[in-house]
Coordinates of all heavy atoms in Angstrom, one line a residue:
M1 N -7.8 -10.3 38.8 CA -7.9 -9.7 37.6 C -6.8 -8.7 37.4 O -6.5 -7.9 38.2 CB -9.3 -9.0 37.4 CG -9.4 -8.3 36.1 SD -10.9 -7.3 36.1 CE -11.5 -7.7 34.5
S2 N -6.2 -8.8 36.2 CA -5.1 -7.9 35.9 C -5.6 -6.5 35.6 O -6.8 -6.3 35.3 CB -4.3 -8.4 34.8 OG -3.7 -9.6 35.1
K3 N -4.7 -5.5 35.5 CA -5.2 -4.2 35.2 C -4.7 -3.8 33.9 O -3.7 -4.2 33.3 CB -4.5 -3.2 36.3 CG -4.9 -3.4 37.7 CD -4.3 -2.4 38.7 CE -4.9 -2.7 40.0 NZ -4.5 -1.6 40.9
F4 N -5.4 -2.8 33.3 CA -5.1 -2.2 32.1 C -4.0 -1.1 32.4 O -4.2 -0.3 33.3 CB -6.3 -1.4 31.4 CG -7.3 -2.4 30.8 CD1 -8.3 -2.9 31.6 CD2 -7.3 -2.8 29.6 CE1 -9.3 -3.7 31.2 CE2 -8.2 -3.6 29.0 CZ -9.2 -4.1 29.8
I5 N -2.9 -1.2 31.7 CA -1.8 -0.2 31.9 C -1.8 0.7 30.7 O -1.6 0.3 29.6 CB -0.5 -1.0 32.1 CG1 -0.6 -2.1 33.3 CG2 0.7 0.0 32.3 CD1 0.6 -2.9 33.3
V6 N -1.7 2.0 31.1 CA -1.7 3.1 30.1 C -0.5 3.8 30.1 O 0.0 4.2 31.2 CB -3.0 4.0 30.2 CG1 -2.9 5.2 29.2 CG2 -4.3 3.2 30.1
F7 N 0.2 4.0 29.0 CA 1.5 4.7 28.9 C 1.3 6.0 28.1 O 0.5 6.0 27.0 CB 2.5 3.9 28.2 CG 2.9 2.7 28.8 CD1 2.2 1.5 28.7 CD2 3.9 2.6 29.8 CE1 2.5 0.3 29.3 CE2 4.3 1.4 30.4 CZ 3.6 0.3 30.2
Y8 N 1.8 7.1 28.6 CA 1.7 8.3 27.8 C 2.9 9.3 28.2 O 3.2 9.3 29.4 CB 0.4 9.1 28.1 CG 0.2 10.3 27.4 CD1 -0.1 10.3 26.0 CD2 0.3 11.5 28.0 CE1 -0.3 11.5 25.3 CE2 0.1 12.8 27.3 CZ -0.2 12.7 25.9 OH -0.4 13.9 25.2
G9 N 3.4 9.9 27.2 CA 4.5 10.8 27.4 C 5.8 10.1 28.1 O 6.4 10.6 29.0
Q10 N 6.1 8.9 27.6 CA 7.3 8.1 28.0 C 7.2 7.7 29.5 O 8.2 7.5 30.2 CB 8.6 9.0 27.7 CG 8.7 9.3 26.3 CD 10.0 10.1 26.2 OE1 10.7 10.4 27.0 NE2 10.3 10.5 24.9
Q11 N 6.0 7.6 30.0 CA 5.8 7.1 31.3 C 4.5 6.4 31.5 O 3.7 6.5 30.6 CB 6.0 8.3 32.3 CG 4.9 9.3 32.2 CD 5.2 10.6 33.0 OE1 5.9 10.5 34.0 NE2 4.6 11.7 32.7
I12 N 4.4 5.8 32.7 CA 3.1 5.1 33.0 C 2.1 6.2 33.3 O 2.3 7.0 34.3 CB 3.2 4.0 34.0 CG1 4.0 2.9 33.5 CG2 1.8 3.6 34.5 CD1 4.1 1.8 34.5
Y13 N 1.0 6.3 32.7 CA 0.0 7.3 32.9 C -1.0 6.8 34.0 O -1.4 7.6 34.8 CB -0.8 7.5 31.6 CG -1.8 8.7 31.7 CD1 -1.3 10.0 31.5 CD2 -3.2 8.5 31.8 CE1 -2.2 11.1 31.6 CE2 -4.1 9.5 31.8 CZ -3.6 10.8 31.7 OH -4.4 11.8 31.8
G14 N -1.2 5.5 34.0 CA -2.1 5.0 35.1 C -2.4 3.5 34.9 O -2.1 2.9 33.8
E15 N -2.9 2.9 35.9 CA -3.3 1.5 35.9 C -4.9 1.5 36.2 O -5.3 2.2 37.2 CB -2.6 0.7 36.9 CG -1.1 0.5 36.7 CD -0.5 -0.4 37.6 OE1 -1.0 -1.4 38.0 OE2 0.7 -0.1 38.0
Y16 N -5.6 0.8 35.4 CA -7.1 0.9 35.6 C -7.7 -0.5 35.7 O -7.3 -1.5 35.0 CB -7.7 1.6 34.3 CG -7.2 3.0 34.1 CD1 -6.1 3.2 33.4 CD2 -7.9 4.0 34.7 CE1 -5.6 4.6 33.2 CE2 -7.5 5.4 34.5 CZ -6.3 5.6 33.8 OH -5.9 6.8 33.6
D17 N -8.6 -0.6 36.7 CA -9.4 -1.8 36.9 C -10.6 -1.6 36.0 O -11.4 -0.6 36.2 CB -9.8 -2.0 38.3 CG -8.7 -2.5 39.1 OD1 -7.8 -3.3 38.6 OD2 -8.5 -2.0 40.3
S18 N -10.9 -2.4 35.1 CA -12.1 -2.3 34.2 C -12.5 -3.5 33.7 O -11.7 -4.4 33.5 CB -11.8 -1.2 33.1 OG -12.9 -0.9 32.4
V19 N -13.8 -3.7 33.3 CA -14.2 -4.9 32.7 C -13.7 -5.0 31.2 O -13.2 -6.0 30.8 CB -15.8 -5.0 32.7 CG1 -16.3 -6.2 32.0 CG2 -16.2 -4.9 34.2
T20 N -13.8 -3.9 30.5 CA -13.3 -3.8 29.2 C -12.6 -2.5 28.9 O -12.7 -1.5 29.8 CB -14.5 -3.9 28.1 OG1 -15.3 -2.7 28.2 CG2 -15.3 -5.0 28.3
M21 N -11.9 -2.4 27.9 CA -11.0 -1.2 27.6 C -12.0 0.0 27.3 O -11.7 1.1 27.4 CB -10.1 -1.4 26.5 CG -10.6 -1.6 25.2 SD -9.3 -2.0 24.0 CE -10.2 -2.3 22.6
Y22 N -13.2 -0.4 26.8 CA -14.2 0.7 26.5 C -14.8 1.3 27.7 O -15.4 2.4 27.6 CB -15.2 0.2 25.6 CG -14.6 -0.4 24.2 CD1 -14.5 -1.7 24.1 CD2 -14.1 0.5 23.3 CE1 -14.0 -2.2 22.9 CE2 -13.6 0.0 22.2 CZ -13.4 -1.3 21.9 OH -12.8 -1.8 20.8
D23 N -14.6 0.7 28.9 CA -15.1 1.4 30.2 C -14.1 2.4 30.7 O -14.3 3.0 31.7 CB -15.3 0.3 31.2 CG -16.5 -0.6 30.8 OD1 -17.3 -0.2 30.0 OD2 -16.5 -1.7 31.4
L24 N -12.9 2.4 30.1 CA -11.9 3.4 30.6 C -12.4 4.8 30.3 O -13.0 5.0 29.4 CB -10.5 3.1 29.9 CG -9.9 1.8 30.1 CD1 -8.6 1.6 29.3 CD2 -9.6 1.6 31.6
G25 N -12.0 5.7 31.2 CA -12.5 7.1 31.1 C -12.2 7.8 29.9 O -11.2 7.5 29.2
P26 N -13.1 8.7 29.4 CA -12.8 9.6 28.3 C -11.7 10.6 28.5 O -11.3 11.2 27.6 CB -14.2 10.2 28.1 CG -14.8 10.2 29.4 CD -14.3 9.0 30.1
D27 N -11.2 10.7 29.7 CA -10.2 11.7 30.0 C -8.8 11.2 29.5 O -7.8 12.0 29.7 CB -10.1 12.0 31.5 CG -9.8 10.7 32.3 OD1 -10.1 9.6 31.8 OD2 -9.4 10.8 33.5
L28 N -8.6 10.0 29.0 CA -7.3 9.6 28.5 C -7.0 10.3 27.2 O -7.8 10.4 26.3 CB -7.3 8.1 28.3 CG -7.5 7.2 29.4 CD1 -7.7 5.8 29.2 CD2 -6.4 7.4 30.4
P29 N -5.8 10.8 27.1 CA -5.4 11.7 26.0 C -5.1 10.8 24.7 O -4.7 9.6 24.8 CB -4.1 12.3 26.5 CG -3.5 11.4 27.5 CD -4.7 10.7 28.2
D30 N -5.3 11.4 23.6 CA -5.0 10.8 22.4 C -3.4 10.6 22.3 O -2.7 11.4 22.8 CB -5.4 11.7 21.1 CG -6.9 11.5 20.8 OD1 -7.4 10.5 21.3 OD2 -7.4 12.2 20.0
G31 N -3.0 9.5 21.7 CA -1.6 9.2 21.7 C -1.1 8.4 22.8 O 0.2 8.1 22.8
C32 N -2.0 7.9 23.7 CA -1.4 7.0 24.8 C -1.5 5.6 24.2 O -2.3 5.2 23.3 CB -2.2 7.3 26.0 SG -4.0 6.9 26.0
Y33 N -0.7 4.8 24.8 CA -0.7 3.3 24.5 C -1.3 2.6 25.7 O -1.1 2.9 26.8 CB 0.8 2.9 24.3 CG 1.4 3.5 23.0 CD1 1.9 4.8 23.0 CD2 1.3 2.8 21.8 CE1 2.5 5.3 21.9 CE2 1.8 3.3 20.6 CZ 2.4 4.6 20.7 OH 2.9 5.2 19.5
M34 N -1.9 1.5 25.4 CA -2.5 0.7 26.5 C -2.2 -0.7 26.2 O -2.4 -1.3 25.1 CB -4.1 0.9 26.5 CG -4.6 0.1 27.7 SD -6.4 -0.3 27.6 CE -6.6 -0.9 25.9
R35 N -1.9 -1.5 27.3 CA -1.8 -2.9 27.2 C -3.0 -3.5 27.9 O -3.3 -3.2 29.1 CB -0.4 -3.3 28.0 CG -0.3 -4.8 28.0 CD 0.9 -5.2 28.9 NE 0.9 -6.6 29.1 CZ 0.2 -7.3 30.1 NH1 -0.6 -6.6 30.8 NH2 0.3 -8.6 30.2
S36 N -3.6 -4.4 27.2 CA -4.8 -5.1 27.6 C -4.3 -6.3 28.4 O -3.6 -7.1 27.8 CB -5.8 -5.5 26.5 OG -6.8 -6.3 26.9
P37 N -4.8 -6.6 29.6 CA -4.4 -7.7 30.4 C -5.1 -9.0 29.9 O -4.6 -10.1 30.3 CB -4.7 -7.4 31.8 CG -6.0 -6.5 31.6 CD -5.7 -5.7 30.4
L38 N -6.1 -8.9 29.2 CA -6.9 -10.1 28.8 C -6.1 -11.0 27.8 O -6.0 -12.3 28.1 CB -8.2 -9.7 28.2 CG -9.1 -8.8 29.0 CD1 -10.2 -8.3 28.3 CD2 -9.4 -9.4 30.4
I39 N -5.6 -10.6 26.8 CA -4.8 -11.4 25.9 C -3.5 -10.7 25.5 O -2.9 -11.0 24.4 CB -5.7 -11.7 24.6 CG1 -6.3 -10.5 24.1 CG2 -6.7 -12.7 24.9 CD1 -7.1 -10.7 22.7
N40 N -3.1 -9.7 26.3 CA -1.8 -9.0 26.1 C -1.7 -8.3 24.8 O -0.7 -8.2 24.1 CB -0.6 -10.0 26.2 CG -0.5 -10.4 27.7 OD1 -0.9 -9.8 28.6 ND2 0.1 -11.6 27.8
N41 N -2.9 -7.8 24.3 CA -2.9 -7.0 23.1 C -2.5 -5.5 23.5 O -2.8 -5.1 24.5 CB -4.2 -6.9 22.4 CG -4.5 -8.2 21.7 OD1 -3.6 -9.1 21.5 ND2 -5.7 -8.4 21.2
W42 N -2.0 -4.8 22.4 CA -1.6 -3.4 22.6 C -2.5 -2.5 21.7 O -2.8 -2.9 20.6 CB -0.2 -3.2 22.2 CG 0.8 -3.6 23.3 CD1 1.2 -4.9 23.5 CD2 1.4 -2.8 24.4 NE1 2.0 -5.0 24.6 CE2 2.1 -3.7 25.1 CE3 1.3 -1.5 24.7 CZ2 2.9 -3.3 26.2 CZ3 2.0 -1.1 25.8 CH2 2.8 -1.9 26.5
Y43 N -2.8 -1.3 22.3 CA -3.7 -0.4 21.6 C -3.1 1.0 21.6 O -2.5 1.4 22.6 CB -5.1 -0.4 22.2 CG -5.8 -1.8 22.0 CD1 -5.7 -2.7 23.1 CD2 -6.5 -2.1 21.0 CE1 -6.2 -3.9 23.0 CE2 -7.2 -3.3 20.9 CZ -7.0 -4.2 21.9 OH -7.6 -5.4 21.8
L44 N -3.5 1.8 20.7 CA -3.1 3.2 20.6 C -4.4 4.0 20.5 O -5.3 3.7 19.8 CB -2.3 3.6 19.3 CG -1.9 4.9 19.1 CD1 -1.1 5.6 20.2 CD2 -1.2 5.1 17.7
R45 N -4.5 5.1 21.4 CA -5.7 5.8 21.4 C -5.6 7.0 20.3 O -4.7 7.8 20.4 CB -6.0 6.5 22.8 CG -7.3 7.2 22.9 CD -7.6 7.4 24.3 NE -8.8 8.2 24.5 CZ -10.0 7.6 24.7 NH1 -10.1 6.4 24.8 NH2 -11.1 8.4 24.9
L46 N -6.5 7.0 19.4 CA -6.5 7.9 18.3 C -7.9 8.4 18.2 O -8.9 7.6 18.0 CB -6.1 7.3 17.0 CG -4.6 7.0 16.9 CD1 -4.3 6.2 15.6 CD2 -3.7 8.2 17.0
S47 N -8.1 9.7 18.2 CA -9.4 10.4 18.0 C -10.5 9.8 18.9 O -11.7 9.6 18.5 CB -9.9 10.3 16.5 OG -8.9 10.9 15.7
G48 N -10.1 9.5 20.1 CA -11.0 9.0 21.2 C -11.4 7.5 21.1 O -12.2 7.0 21.9
S49 N -10.8 6.8 20.2 CA -11.1 5.4 20.1 C -9.7 4.5 20.2 O -8.7 5.1 20.0 CB -11.8 5.1 18.8 OG -11.0 5.3 17.7
W50 N -9.9 3.3 20.5 CA -8.7 2.4 20.7 C -8.4 1.7 19.3 O -9.2 1.0 18.8 CB -8.9 1.5 21.8 CG -9.0 2.1 23.1 CD1 -10.1 2.3 23.9 CD2 -7.9 2.6 23.8 NE1 -9.8 2.9 25.0 CE2 -8.4 3.2 25.1 CE3 -6.5 2.8 23.7 CZ2 -7.6 3.8 26.0 CZ3 -5.7 3.4 24.6 CH2 -6.3 3.9 25.7
T51 N -7.2 1.8 18.8 CA -6.8 1.2 17.6 C -5.7 0.1 18.0 O -4.7 0.4 18.6 CB -6.1 2.2 16.6 OG1 -7.0 3.2 16.3 CG2 -5.8 1.5 15.3
P52 N -6.0 -1.2 17.6 CA -5.0 -2.3 17.8 C -3.8 -2.0 17.1 O -3.8 -1.5 15.9 CB -5.7 -3.5 17.4 CG -6.9 -3.2 16.7 CD -7.2 -1.7 16.9
I53 N -2.6 -2.3 17.7 CA -1.2 -2.1 17.0 C -0.5 -3.4 17.2 O -0.8 -4.2 18.0 CB -0.5 -0.9 17.6 CG1 -0.2 -1.1 19.1 CG2 -1.2 0.4 17.4 CD1 0.7 -0.1 19.7
N54 N 0.5 -3.5 16.3 CA 1.4 -4.6 16.3 C 2.5 -4.3 17.3 O 2.8 -3.2 17.7 CB 2.1 -4.8 14.9 CG 1.0 -5.3 13.9 OD1 0.2 -6.0 14.2 ND2 1.2 -4.8 12.7
L55 N 3.2 -5.4 17.8 CA 4.3 -5.2 18.8 C 5.4 -4.4 18.2 O 6.0 -3.6 19.0 CB 4.8 -6.6 19.2 CG 3.8 -7.5 20.0 CD1 4.5 -8.8 20.3 CD2 3.4 -6.8 21.2
C56 N 5.7 -4.4 16.9 CA 6.7 -3.6 16.3 C 6.4 -2.1 16.4 O 7.3 -1.2 16.1 CB 7.1 -4.0 14.9 SG 5.7 -3.9 13.7
D57 N 5.1 -1.7 16.6 CA 4.7 -0.4 16.6 C 4.8 0.3 18.1 O 4.5 1.5 18.2 CB 3.2 -0.2 16.1 CG 3.2 -0.6 14.7 OD1 4.1 -0.4 14.0 OD2 2.1 -1.1 14.3
I58 N 5.2 -0.5 19.1 CA 5.3 0.0 20.4 C 6.6 0.8 20.4 O 7.6 0.3 20.1 CB 5.4 -1.1 21.4 CG1 4.0 -1.9 21.3 CG2 5.5 -0.6 22.8 CD1 4.1 -3.2 22.2
P59 N 6.6 2.1 20.9 CA 7.7 2.9 21.0 C 8.8 2.3 21.9 O 8.5 1.6 22.9 CB 7.3 4.2 21.5 CG 5.8 4.3 21.4 CD 5.4 2.8 21.4
P60 N 10.0 2.6 21.6 CA 11.2 2.1 22.5 C 11.0 2.5 23.9 O 11.4 1.8 24.8 CB 12.4 2.7 21.8 CG 12.1 3.1 20.4 CD 10.6 3.4 20.5
E61 N 10.5 3.7 24.2 CA 10.4 4.2 25.5 C 9.4 3.4 26.4 O 9.6 3.1 27.5 CB 10.0 5.7 25.6 CG 10.9 6.6 24.8 CD 10.7 6.7 23.4 OE1 9.7 6.2 22.8 OE2 11.5 7.4 22.7
V62 N 8.3 3.0 25.7 CA 7.3 2.2 26.3 C 7.9 0.8 26.6 O 7.7 0.2 27.7 CB 6.0 2.0 25.5 CG1 5.1 1.2 26.1 CG2 5.4 3.4 25.4
R63 N 8.7 0.2 25.6 CA 9.3 -1.1 25.8 C 10.3 -1.0 26.9 O 10.3 -2.0 27.8 CB 10.0 -1.5 24.5 CG 9.1 -1.9 23.4 CD 9.9 -2.2 22.2 NE 9.1 -2.7 21.2 CZ 8.8 -4.0 21.0 NH1 9.3 -5.0 21.8 NH2 8.0 -4.5 20.0
L64 N 11.0 0.1 27.1 CA 12.0 0.2 28.2 C 11.3 0.2 29.5 O 11.7 -0.4 30.5 CB 12.8 1.4 28.0 CG 13.8 1.7 29.1 CD1 14.8 0.6 29.2 CD2 14.5 3.1 28.8
N65 N 10.2 1.0 29.6 CA 9.4 1.1 30.9 C 8.9 -0.3 31.2 O 8.9 -0.7 32.4 CB 8.3 2.0 30.7 CG 8.7 3.4 30.9 OD1 9.6 3.7 31.6 ND2 7.9 4.4 30.3
C66 N 8.4 -1.0 30.2 CA 7.9 -2.4 30.5 C 9.0 -3.3 31.0 O 8.9 -4.1 32.0 CB 7.3 -3.0 29.2 SG 5.7 -2.3 28.7
L67 N 10.3 -3.2 30.4 CA 11.3 -4.0 30.8 C 11.7 -3.7 32.2 O 12.0 -4.6 33.1 CB 12.5 -3.7 29.9 CG 13.8 -4.4 30.2 CD1 13.7 -5.9 30.1 CD2 15.0 -3.9 29.4
L68 N 11.8 -2.4 32.6 CA 12.2 -2.0 33.9 C 11.3 -2.3 35.0 O 11.6 -2.6 36.1 CB 12.5 -0.5 34.0 CG 13.7 0.0 33.1 CD1 13.7 1.6 33.1 CD2 15.0 -0.6 33.7
M69 N 10.0 -2.4 34.6 CA 8.9 -2.6 35.6 C 8.4 -4.1 35.6 O 7.5 -4.5 36.4 CB 7.8 -1.7 35.4 CG 8.1 -0.3 35.6 SD 6.8 0.8 35.8 CE 6.2 0.3 37.3
G70 N 9.0 -4.9 34.7 CA 8.6 -6.4 34.7 C 7.3 -6.6 34.1 O 6.6 -7.6 34.4
I71 N 6.9 -5.7 33.2 CA 5.6 -5.9 32.5 C 5.8 -6.6 31.3 O 6.6 -6.2 30.4 CB 4.9 -4.5 32.2 CG1 4.7 -3.7 33.5 CG2 3.6 -4.6 31.4 CD1 4.3 -2.3 33.3
P72 N 5.2 -7.8 31.0 CA 5.4 -8.5 29.8 C 4.8 -7.8 28.6 O 3.8 -7.2 28.6 CB 4.6 -9.8 30.0 CG 3.6 -9.6 31.1 CD 4.2 -8.4 31.9
I73 N 5.6 -7.8 27.5 CA 5.2 -7.2 26.3 C 4.4 -8.3 25.5 O 3.5 -8.2 24.9 CB 6.4 -6.7 25.4 CG1 6.9 -5.5 26.3 CG2 5.9 -6.2 24.1 CD1 8.1 -4.8 25.5

């Protein structure tokens, strides 16, 4: 099973093993981006909930980190 990858502050914040994204801890800060391994969707954490975003909304810093680490966008 792949891991949920969370980006925050222009870096990888962590990798999480979880059944769903809603099982991820409440300690994740607002403004972080997450890549879901299930269907490669991207989400932004706003006000404690996950909001789906389009690929064009992923910041360039996150895209660069994905490119350097071999993480598919």
Side-chain angles (χ1 to χ4, degrees):
M1 176 188 224
S2 297
K3 296 183 178 191
F4 289 88
I5 302 172
V6 177
F7 297 88
Y8 182 70
Q10 302 177 0
Q11 60 187 342
I12 291 182
Y13 188 80
E15 294 183 38
Y16 299 89
D17 288 319
S18 189
V19 177
T20 67
M21 67 184 180
Y22 300 106
D23 293 336
L24 297 176
D27 59 339
L28 293 175
D30 279 350
C32 65
Y33 293 86
M34 182 203 46
R35 180 188 169 274
S36 171
L38 305 174
I39 50 178
N40 295 334
N41 283 354
W42 283 84
Y43 297 88
L44 173 63
R45 187 166 176 95
L46 293 174
S47 301
S49 64
W50 293 106
T51 304
I53 60 172
N54 293 323
L55 292 178
C56 63
D57 296 327
I58 300 170
E61 299 85 9
V62 173
R63 288 179 174 269
L64 178 62
N65 281 332
C66 290
L67 176 67
L68 292 174
M69 299 198 64
I71 300 169
I73 293 180

